[in-house]
Structures are given as structure tokens and as C-alpha cells.
Amino acid sequence: TNYEKKLQENGIEYKDACESYLGIDVTEEQINKLKKKIENMGTVNISAPEQYSDLEKRYNFLLEQQQDLLKAEEDLRKTISKLNSSIKENFHDTFNKVRNNFKSIFGQLFEGGEADLILTDENNLLESGIDIIAQPPGKKLQSISLLSGGEKALTAIALLFAFFMVKPSPVCILDEADAAL
């Protein structure tokens, strides 16, 4: 009857099922427990294979996207490393040129004396600060902050011209540069 139809839907003959399971003793309580378990399982999701296939496609797509992002991150890190290396080299070369020019121009403007540019952290050029040391003739070596207004102005002009000697500018206006002098 109804059981026979269900068995046939699953490809099992009623006679074969009777022969296989006829000798098993089952209590009414066990039958009720099994029925409850089946009811608690809910309905069978017939579209599960299609859903699995869709999810698998989505997973593979997202996995490809993740791999693309990881490769892009690696490429960016390599590029940043190359840029940092190039910037360090350019900064070091430019710093040394400006430093030498500053020493020379300072000596000319003050008719003697000594000046220098010193990196605060030579091991980390990209984040290093720069100290300006100036010693006009007849004075003790000191930081630029301890100089008079005129000495600061001449030191700043020497530094500005040191930059211009490395990277010339077509126009430079020094408005009231001599005011402190």
C-alpha cells in the first residue's frame, strides 16, 4: 500500500524488504522514537545539490579574489620596498650635496666660521630629523636657536642657497630677508 509505494520510489521491492528486515524485533516505543526523529529532521531539501554547487562556485570565486588580493599586497610591498630604497639613496645623495654647499656658503656669508647639517638618526633616513649647527667666526659652536636674529637670517639664507645649488629655481624672492640684519 502506502509503504509499498514509498519503497518502490526508492528502488526497493516490498518482498526484498520483508526478507531483509522480517527477523528484527522492534518495539512500538522504538518505532515511535524513529518516527519522531524523522519528523524532527524536517523535510528533505531536494535543491541541496544545486545549492551546494552554487556555494562551491561562490567559494571558488572568493578564493580566487583572495589570492589576487594577496598577490597585489605582495606586489605593493615589493614596490614600497624599492621606492624606499630609491628614496633613501636619493635623499642621502641630496643631503650630502646640500650639506657641502651649506658649509661653503655659510663660510662665504660669515667670512669664516663653520656650519654643518647633522642627521638625528643616520640609521633611519626616512624618519630622521636634521640638526643645523652654526658657528660664526669668533663664537663657540652652538645650535642655530642660540644665534642672534641676524645670524639666524644669514644661516637660513645660506641653507636656502645650498638647496638652490642642488635644485635651482627660476625665481626666488627674499622679501625683507635683511630685516633681521
Side-chain angles (χ1 to χ4, degrees), residues 50-177:
E50 292 88 18
Q51 289 177 352
Y52 175 78
S53 176
D54 291 344
L55 286 174
E56 186 177 36
K57 287 177 187 174
R58 177 81 175 141
Y59 171 78
N60 290 333
F61 172 76
L62 291 175
L63 191 60
E64 286 179 32
Q65 295 293 312
Q66 180 191 29
Q67 290 170 348
D68 288 347
L69 287 173
L70 291 174
K71 184 178 180 330
E73 179 187 21
E74 181 183 334
D75 291 346
L76 279 173
R77 290 192 185 280
K78 286 179 182 177
T79 302
I80 288 170
S81 178
K82 286 179 186 177
L83 282 173
N84 282 346
S85 176
S86 176
I87 289 170
K88 283 179 186 178
E89 186 177 315
N90 288 340
F91 176 78
H92 190 264
D93 291 343
T94 303
F95 177 77
N96 286 333
K97 288 176 186 175
V98 169
R99 183 180 186 192
N100 291 333
N101 292 339
F102 178 61
K103 289 177 180 182
S104 172
I105 294 172
F106 185 87
Q108 291 173 6
L109 288 177
F110 281 92
E111 296 180 356
E114 293 182 29
D116 201 1
L117 299 175
I118 300 171
L119 293 172
T120 57
D121 186 2
E122 292 184 29
N123 296 327
N124 189 359
L125 292 178
L126 297 179
E127 295 184 19
S128 177
I130 298 174
D131 284 335
I132 301 171
I133 304 297
Q135 180 183 1
K139 289 199 172 184
K140 192 170 145 185
L141 186 65
Q142 53 190 334
S143 171
I144 192 170
S145 62
L146 301 175
L147 298 176
S148 69
E151 291 168 335
K152 285 181 186 178
L154 279 177
T155 303
I157 290 171
L159 183 58
L160 183 64
F161 286 159
F163 282 115
F164 284 149
M165 288 177 74
V166 173
K167 179 100 173 147
S169 175
V171 176
C172 176
I173 299 172
L174 299 175
D175 186 27
E176 297 187 28

